[in-house]
Amino acid sequence: MTCNPSWPEIEEHLLVIAEVQNQPDLVSRVFRAKVEEMKTDILKRNIFGRVAAFMYTIEFQKCGLPHAHFLIILNNKYKLLTPEAYDKIICAELPDRDTNDYLYTLVTKHMMHGPCGNLNPKCPYIEKKGYCKFEYPKEFADHTSKGKDGYPIYQRRNTGKVVTTRGQLLDNSWVVPYNPYLLSKFNYHNEIKQYQSARWVSPPEATWRLFGVPISEIIPTVYHLQIAPNLNKKQIRHMTLNNINDILHSMGHDISEFILVPERISASSAAKEAQDSYFERNIILREEDLLLEAKLNNEQREAYNIILDRIFKNKPGAFFIDGPGGTGKTFLYRAIPTAIR
């Protein structure tokens, strides 16, 4: 589920002259509410059946909009094992406009892939050989079936229905699989158009973290304890206790509080630091990043100096850097951390 900036909960609460990108707090709060409502649908209302395990994680696009990835493991009784079961939850065709105009509008707006390939050779989904990396357009299929790789081949009948999307006529072979109930209820975007290899904190992500909202969740809770081979029982016991103590330290506790073991277990140095702090301390700076400061233009340097002045004088402050694409925001984002590490 990707945040839709046109959700009425966002538009109705925007200031008269405000734009969505200037109210990241509103975006984060509304998206958080949507995620919680979806969790209620899945975990309590059991719209897919009883859930055995569940997890989600929140990520943020380059443009700043948050999106959530959900993984759901159903109870054995409710697992999807047949094509008929797939069809009850997933659809990969254009809806009938006469019987459900609202769903038709959402599918044509949010769930049409591309176009790419011959229809749009410059699409970012196109790989070197000229094929879509998501293998669109899909082949037509009269019925849903199980694929050889374990993934279902969804029903995509050649009904002759087409819709104009981004200047091209697209049919069922371009429909991204969707759940009609969730799409109708949440009116969300499905695809992320482009990725860029970089690290920055967008305003919505910053407010999400300032609000202290979890970035991920797993039910039931699972911790990964690594056990090396060829260890005796005493060594395995000691390693396990150390791992448990590190987890407790991340929560502000120590294993000694629970009087479980007679010996003293010391936490690792990494566990004694906040995870973000530990990450920052171990970042390796690239040589080219060390030269960024000298290449700043006047506008970048003004922002650079103001922010660093606050940092080095240990004064609080929050800054919002905005500008059209290509104006050097990412360049500035890279220059600032380099100066303070």
Side-chain angles (χ1 to χ4, degrees):
M1 177 173 69
T2 300
C3 178
N4 184 351
S6 298
W7 277 332
E9 295 91 340
I10 293 178
E11 292 188 332
E12 290 172 3
H13 292 87
L14 283 174
L15 299 177
V16 177
I17 59 173
E19 296 181 347
V20 172
Q21 62 266 28
N22 294 333
Q23 288 198 246
D25 56 331
L26 177 60
V27 171
S28 294
R29 288 182 184 275
V30 171
F31 187 71
R32 166 68 170 174
K34 296 286 186 180
V35 169
E36 290 302 308
E37 178 63 16
M38 182 173 284
K39 285 169 54 183
T40 299
D41 275 340
I42 295 171
L43 298 177
K44 296 183 179 180
R45 300 189 182 110
N46 297 319
I47 61 172
F48 300 131
R50 188 174 295 279
V51 175
F54 163 90
M55 73 167 291
Y56 75 88
T57 183
I58 306 296
E59 297 177 355
F60 294 82
Q61 298 174 224
K62 181 183 177 184
C63 63
L65 292 177
H67 61 275
H69 296 276
F70 287 81
L71 172 64
I72 306 162
I73 300 175
L74 298 176
N75 185 281
N76 287 337
K77 180 180 177 181
Y78 299 94
K79 288 186 181 297
L80 309 180
L81 302 176
T82 65
E84 292 75 20
Y86 302 148
D87 287 338
K88 290 180 180 179
I89 291 181
I90 300 296
C91 181
E93 294 184 327
L94 289 165
D96 187 339
R97 190 170 191 175
D98 295 330
T99 59
N100 197 335
D101 182 64
Y102 177 65
L103 181 61
Y104 176 87
T105 300
L106 294 180
V107 171
T108 56
K109 181 179 180 181
H110 299 314
M111 310 307 294
M112 302 303 295
H113 180 82
C116 56
N118 294 332
L119 298 180
N120 183 12
K122 295 183 179 180
C123 178
Y125 302 135
I126 298 299
E127 297 181 325
K128 292 182 179 180
K129 295 182 179 180
Y131 295 101
C132 172
K133 65 180 180 180
F134 298 113
E135 300 182 356
Y136 280 89
K138 302 289 187 179
E139 293 185 3
F140 289 115
D142 291 332
H143 305 283
T144 299
S145 60
K146 290 185 178 180
K148 295 180 180 179
D149 56 0
Y151 290 94
I153 299 173
Y154 296 112
Q155 175 179 273
R156 297 174 184 271
R157 292 166 293 184
N158 188 2
T159 61
K161 292 182 180 179
V162 294
V163 60
T164 301
T165 300
R166 290 175 279 278
Q168 299 291 343
L169 292 176
L170 305 182
D171 53 25
N172 282 339
S173 62
W174 295 92
V175 177
V176 177
Y178 62 92
N179 176 266
Y181 170 79
L182 292 178
L183 181 59
S184 297
K185 180 173 182 177
F186 292 101
N187 182 16
Y188 57 80
H189 295 273
N190 185 80
E191 292 184 279
I192 302 168
K193 294 185 178 179
Q194 192 169 5
Y195 295 88
Q196 181 166 329
S197 179
R199 176 71 177 110
W200 59 84
V201 178
S202 62
E205 181 177 0
T207 54
W208 188 278
R209 294 180 182 275
L210 287 172
F211 291 151
V213 179
I215 209 75
S216 63
E217 183 178 357
I218 300 177
I219 299 175
T221 302
V222 176
Y223 288 108
H224 182 205
L225 301 178
Q226 291 186 337
I227 302 296
N230 303 321
L231 297 180
N232 59 42
K233 290 184 178 180
K234 183 177 180 180
Q235 291 172 319
I236 292 175
R237 177 180 181 275
H238 184 74
M239 181 179 292
T240 302
L241 290 173
N242 272 289
N243 284 333
I244 293 173
N245 198 33
D246 283 354
I247 294 170
L248 289 171
H249 263 264
S250 70
M251 303 174 183
H253 296 279
D254 188 275
I255 197 170
S256 60
E257 299 174 24
F258 303 93
I259 317 177
L260 297 176
V261 292
E263 68 266 36
R264 178 175 176 79
I265 304 295
S266 299
S268 65
S269 58
K272 295 178 181 178
E273 301 182 61
Q275 185 176 2
D276 287 346
S277 175
Y278 180 76
F279 172 78
E280 291 291 336
R281 290 173 184 268
N282 287 274
I283 289 179
I284 299 175
L285 297 178
R286 297 177 297 180
E287 290 187 12
E288 58 265 31
D289 286 351
L290 299 175
L291 304 175
L292 294 177
E293 188 270 340
K295 299 179 181 179
L296 296 173
N297 61 33
N298 292 337
E299 292 182 345
Q300 291 170 331
R301 184 168 296 281
E302 181 180 3
Y304 178 87
N305 290 336
I306 292 173
I307 295 172
L308 289 188
D309 181 69
R310 288 292 187 95
I311 293 173
F312 292 136
K313 291 182 179 179
N314 200 26
K315 294 181 178 180
F319 303 92
F320 177 67
I321 300 173
D322 192 20
T327 55
K329 298 187 296 296
T330 302
F331 191 91
L332 177 60
Y333 298 156
R334 290 171 55 196
I336 292 173
T338 302
I340 61 178
R341 287 178 181 142

